[in-house]
Amino acid sequence: MRLPLPHPGSIVAFAILALVGGSFIALVTIDGGKPTLLSIGPYLFRVLVFSLTQATLSTLLSIGFGTALALALARRRFPGRDAVLAALGTTMVIPGIVAVLAVISVYGRSGWIASGLSVLGWSSDASIFGYPGILIAHVFLNSPFVARIVLDGLSVVPAEQWRLASSLGFTPGQSFRHLDWPVLRAELPGLASLVFLLCFKSFAIVLALGGGPGRATLEVAIYEALKIDFDFGRAAWLALVQIAVCLSVTLALNRAFTRPPAALTTRLPAARTDRSHRALKRVDVGVLIIASVFIGPLLLSVLSGIAFIGAVLDRDVAVAFATSLAIATAAAAVACLLALALGAAARRARLRSRSPAVAAFYDILPNLLLAVPPFALTAGLFLMMRRFVEPAQAGFLLLPLINGLAALPFAYRSIAPRQFIAEERYGRLSQTLGLSGWSRFSIMDWPMLRRPFAAAFALSMALSFGDFGIVALFGGAELRTLPYLLYERLGAYRLDEASAIGLLILAMAFCLAHLSGRMSHAAD
Amino acid sequence: MLRIENCRLVWPDFRAEYTLTVAAGALCAIVGPSGGGKTTLLHMIAGFETPESGALSFDGQDLLPLPPAKRPVAMVFQDHNLFPHLTAEENASLGLRPSLRLDRSEREAVVDALAAVGLSGLERRRPEDMSGGQRQRVALARALVSRRPLILLDEPFSSLDPALREDMILVVDAMRRHRAVTILMTIHTPDEVADVADQMAFVAEGRVVASGSPAEVMSRPWSSDRSA
């Protein structure tokens, strides 16, 4: 009897679990199982407290500021509003290392503010390193993202309900209670969990702005254990603690991240009834001014790199650009192909095998990867392959793989729902026509998948292109990406060159994110 | 009496100019093709759209300078009439007091209104636990408790099945008879209101093309595509 071949999605799921499990076994066993969790207890406690504190503060500030900004933008119309909204939508791809550059350029010892103060004859000894720098960078990256998501949520409140509010004579307080608050209550728990997770796992920002070993997140501590102390056992224990915290948050995220369904509204959008309230107008103008003063200079500091682009374009930059592009392309291919296979397996489990639990496993697997520290995964995989390849070669192999796995949750979210819709719409027709294999994929799936696939590919490339994560482990003369080059120039205080490289990274990431947005909003 | 005289609205892709008179206490059915301007007409009366020119009055009161909340108008939409986080009673109470702070007599009025639309015993239910017909009844109850003499219904029953639709039209007819309100209702299926409506207006391309008794309007040549 011939056994049926396993579904490619099952093989992919098994391979991911084997990679994660294998890398941890390799890490834990390399030092004969030492040290124990007990022996790193005080150090672990310090790192954990710092990680949790900075992530909590960053989340509170980002959510508070982002929500206020979203409400102000929902209520106000002004020239350039559309451009502001487009910029908010792409902030999720601003690389952490570029945010570091912006914070140092504006708030650093020789930054814009210090220079401005010295012109006025004032000086300040305040340091940007430690909590101030980390919080500014996290709020700069996350609050626009929060604002964009909340604004999207607010915009799906049906126009009929705003007309009703207008007809019933709601006050601004009643409008907030009955129209805005239900949206915020649905959006904020999931959003706060996501921001917390991103800040808790923050690497580039904490490494560059932490200001010393006393200020390390778990992610940075794992990196230091691997790169500086070569203490693989400690790295493994730290990674397990990080996984436990992140898994808890990820599972909560999976339950809480719901959004009210988009509602069909009538032909003309309704005006908000609270727009003409004077006190609210003053509050909104205040919020918009604070946002411009906070976000504007940071963005401008990166854009100012345009003056040095010509000077910085040398062979090093060209090679680093090509390397980043190649790694990003390969990572995007990994993310999208894995998402395609897992999505197909989930669809099959849900619609054909009638196994919702199995389908849910495929759905949640990409999100679980958010909990796995990339450094621990990379180090474990490197230990497994180190007999066969040199470190630099390993970097070329592992960077696309790890970046691809990091982008998998986003790619899956874009691709899998469309696969499900394709099956629902055309599955039975395909069966009656006898379509299977490649012909089924090319005729039934691909026409519906090509745009979300392209969107996921571009977004995965954008995320990978600016990533300064595990390249910190392998980076050097033989392997240099643009973010690594930026980190080197920042370390050497060559801020002008760093800002030019930062601008290149930002421009590329924005172009790719814009392309992704266009693809995901385009009609089939 | 509702009087609409040459009220003109202009958008880049659509123009409308309405003239219509509806007697006090009448039920007027607004029919016509999709995209012809039926909803826009109701939005203009409710105050969501402001005409460039023309006159609009109800019982001698000029409505044009008034914001929506000050007009003697209550409106029921096709969808999204209820706030999902509020119960049926709270949703209906909004018509009386948006603050939801009601005294005893006001609370009784809300319970009465819910009873009048056949929802006794369902006061504590939230919209998600109600059928489409029940949700629209809550919206009608809210219009009733608001004590506004002009009620606008924008295809309120188009998502219901025919039997339920017929039932709801009888509820509207009873409302009109017992509460002395004037009702304008847009509808895709004029046959269903022909027996209860006092007046029918055919709206197409942003104009009231014909107005009169239902039998009169439905016998005209354009009535073949009146529900397109």
Side-chain angles (χ1 to χ4, degrees):
Chain A
M1 192 180 76
R2 242 182 87 189
L3 283 173
L5 282 173
H7 190 276
S10 313
I11 298 172
V12 164
F14 178 78
I16 289 173
L17 292 174
L19 278 180
V20 174
S23 67
F24 272 87
I25 291 169
L27 271 183
V28 173
T29 53
I30 188 77
D31 285 347
K34 292 178 183 177
T36 64
L37 186 60
L38 203 61
S39 71
I40 62 165
Y43 171 72
L44 174 65
F45 181 74
R46 202 176 67 230
V47 169
L48 197 55
V49 166
F50 178 75
S51 299
L52 290 170
T53 308
Q54 65 82 20
T56 305
L57 289 174
S58 299
T59 304
L60 288 174
L61 289 170
S62 301
I63 292 285
F65 185 50
T67 305
L69 185 57
L71 285 167
L73 285 167
R75 284 191 285 251
R76 304 294 149 213
R77 297 288 179 274
F78 51 87
R81 184 177 176 276
D82 288 346
V84 171
L85 296 189
L88 291 182
T90 47
T91 50
M92 73 171 286
V93 296
I94 294 182
I97 193 70
V98 175
V100 168
L101 163 72
V103 170
I104 290 176
S105 300
V106 176
Y107 297 98
R109 284 252 162 89
S110 52
W112 291 3
I113 289 180
S115 306
L117 287 175
S118 70
V119 168
L120 296 171
W122 296 332
S123 66
S124 167
D125 291 334
S127 169
I128 194 64
F129 294 100
Y131 275 109
I134 292 171
L135 293 183
I136 289 173
H138 281 163
V139 175
F140 167 57
L141 283 184
N142 293 311
S143 60
F145 168 64
V146 169
R148 183 70 235 200
I149 299 281
V150 171
L151 193 60
D152 282 349
L154 291 173
S155 70
V156 301
V157 171
E160 289 88 340
Q161 298 207 332
W162 279 109
R163 292 200 171 98
L164 205 55
S166 158
S167 179
L168 294 170
F170 277 11
T171 62
Q174 287 158 355
S175 297
F176 180 81
R177 179 181 164 193
H178 296 307
L179 292 147
D180 294 331
W181 177 242
V183 173
L184 298 181
R185 204 176 49 189
E187 293 284 356
L188 291 187
L191 207 46
S193 312
L194 183 61
V195 172
F196 180 88
L197 199 65
L198 293 173
C199 297
F200 185 79
K201 289 180 65 182
S202 182
F203 172 70
I205 288 169
V206 178
L207 181 72
L209 295 172
R215 302 257 193 265
T217 52
L218 278 164
E219 197 86 38
V220 173
I222 294 167
Y223 164 76
E224 285 170 348
L226 292 169
K227 177 92 175 182
I228 299 167
D229 303 328
F230 299 105
D231 189 343
F232 295 105
R234 192 174 86 205
W237 280 114
L238 291 169
L240 286 175
V241 172
Q242 174 154 332
I243 286 178
V245 175
C246 291
L247 266 188
S248 312
V249 179
T250 307
L251 291 175
L253 181 79
N254 216 50
R255 291 178 72 90
F257 201 51
T258 54
R259 162 175 294 212
L264 290 172
T265 58
T266 42
R267 187 168 61 94
L268 295 165
R272 290 179 60 113
T273 49
D274 50 2
R275 197 172 283 170
S276 53
H277 195 263
R278 274 192 197 165
L280 269 184
K281 203 172 194 172
R282 281 197 286 271
V283 170
D284 290 344
V285 170
V287 168
L288 290 171
I289 289 173
I290 291 171
S292 320
V293 169
F294 176 63
I295 297 173
L298 290 168
L299 273 181
L300 280 177
S301 70
V302 183
L303 296 181
S304 69
I306 199 161
F308 309 101
I309 287 275
V312 85
L313 284 179
D314 56 15
R315 190 178 171 280
D316 277 355
V317 169
V319 171
F321 186 91
T323 306
S324 291
L325 197 62
I327 289 171
T329 308
V334 168
C336 291
L337 291 175
L338 295 188
L340 210 54
L342 288 174
R347 174 174 79 175
R348 184 191 178 98
R350 191 165 279 123
L351 293 177
R352 293 233 192 132
S353 317
R354 307 272 173 205
S355 313
V358 177
F361 164 73
Y362 288 118
D363 286 340
I364 203 171
L365 185 64
N367 283 345
L368 291 182
L369 286 171
L370 286 173
V372 179
F375 285 108
L377 184 59
T378 307
L381 292 176
F382 173 65
L383 289 176
M384 287 196 282
M385 61 165 59
R386 66 180 165 165
R387 287 187 198 160
F388 314 107
V389 291
E390 293 297 312
Q393 291 173 317
F396 278 110
L397 288 172
L398 289 175
L399 268 167
L401 177 65
I402 302 296
N403 285 353
L405 289 176
L408 179 57
F410 304 99
Y412 187 82
R413 209 172 291 171
S414 179
I415 291 171
R418 300 293 289 180
Q419 284 175 295
F420 187 72
I421 292 171
E423 177 73 31
E424 270 199 328
R425 285 188 191 168
Y426 306 116
R428 288 195 181 87
L429 178 64
S430 299
Q431 275 179 299
T432 57
L433 294 173
L435 295 177
S436 63
W438 175 251
S439 60
R440 181 183 160 89
F441 177 77
S442 59
I443 294 171
M444 184 185 95
D445 285 328
W446 186 243
M448 285 196 74
L449 285 180
R450 57 187 176 169
R451 289 189 187 280
F453 189 91
F457 200 93
L459 181 64
S460 303
M461 274 188 80
L463 292 172
S464 174
F465 191 85
D467 183 65
F468 179 72
I470 63 163
V471 71
L473 278 181
F474 296 104
E478 292 178 51
L479 172 57
R480 231 185 228 127
T481 62
L482 266 191
Y484 189 84
L485 202 61
L486 169 56
Y487 182 69
E488 281 186 336
R489 302 284 158 98
L490 268 179
Y493 282 96
R494 289 154 71 177
L495 285 185
D496 292 345
E497 293 175 25
S499 65
I501 296 169
L503 181 61
L504 280 178
I505 297 172
L506 198 63
M508 189 70 185
F510 270 18
C511 287
L512 288 166
H514 180 68
L515 182 67
S516 173
R518 281 190 63 150
M519 283 293 159
S520 59
H521 290 119
D524 289 323
Chain B
M1 178 180 283
L2 174 70
R3 268 183 196 283
I4 305 168
E5 290 172 68
N6 304 109
C7 282
R8 209 169 121 86
L9 296 122
V10 180
W11 290 276
D13 60 338
F14 189 71
R15 282 166 182 269
E17 185 166 345
Y18 300 106
T19 296
L20 179 69
T21 304
V22 180
L27 168 55
C28 176
I30 314 283
V31 300
S34 294
K38 303 189 293 290
T39 296
T40 305
L41 170 62
L42 296 198
H43 281 188
M44 185 191 74
I45 300 168
F48 306 136
E49 309 293 349
T50 309
E52 283 184 352
S53 59
L56 172 65
S57 65
F58 183 72
D59 284 349
Q61 183 188 19
D62 183 8
L63 299 187
L64 287 180
L66 302 177
K70 301 282 182 198
R71 296 192 182 195
V73 175
M75 187 153 180
V76 175
F77 302 97
Q78 182 180 347
D79 291 306
H80 313 301
N81 280 295
L82 306 187
F83 294 103
H85 60 290
L86 300 180
T87 63
E89 188 177 340
E90 288 169 330
N91 266 296
S93 303
L94 286 173
L96 207 51
R97 290 211 181 276
S99 65
L100 296 178
R101 291 193 200 100
L102 277 66
D103 61 27
R104 184 187 283 181
S105 66
E106 289 170 334
R107 199 160 289 130
E108 280 169 7
V110 171
V111 173
D112 284 350
L114 286 169
V117 295
L119 287 180
S120 290
L122 301 182
E123 293 86 352
R124 301 272 163 215
R125 286 220 185 149
R126 288 185 192 278
E128 63 187 11
D129 300 320
M130 305 174 93
S131 68
Q134 287 170 334
R135 285 199 285 262
Q136 293 305 71
R137 283 170 192 252
V138 176
L140 287 176
R142 182 177 57 215
L144 276 183
V145 298
S146 70
R147 295 182 194 137
R148 299 188 188 189
L150 178 57
I151 297 182
L152 309 177
L153 309 177
D154 187 9
E155 297 189 21
F157 315 128
S158 57
S159 57
L160 308 181
D161 64 59
L164 202 51
R165 226 159 38 216
E166 202 173 309
D167 202 24
M168 294 298 292
I169 286 166
L170 293 177
V171 171
V172 170
D173 188 37
M175 249 170 76
R176 185 263 305 240
R177 289 181 192 286
H178 298 135
R179 306 269 175 156
V181 288
T182 306
I183 297 177
L184 265 74
M185 174 163 71
T186 62
I187 190 158
H188 266 298
T189 47
D191 300 331
E192 291 178 337
V193 287
D195 291 340
V196 295
D198 305 297
Q199 184 181 346
M200 189 171 278
F202 187 89
V203 174
E205 295 175 1
R207 287 171 187 277
V208 179
V209 180
S211 171
S213 72
E216 217 173 74
V217 173
M218 288 169 70
S219 65
R220 301 273 179 92
W222 54 70
S223 61
S224 59
D225 61 10
R226 64 190 175 240
S227 60

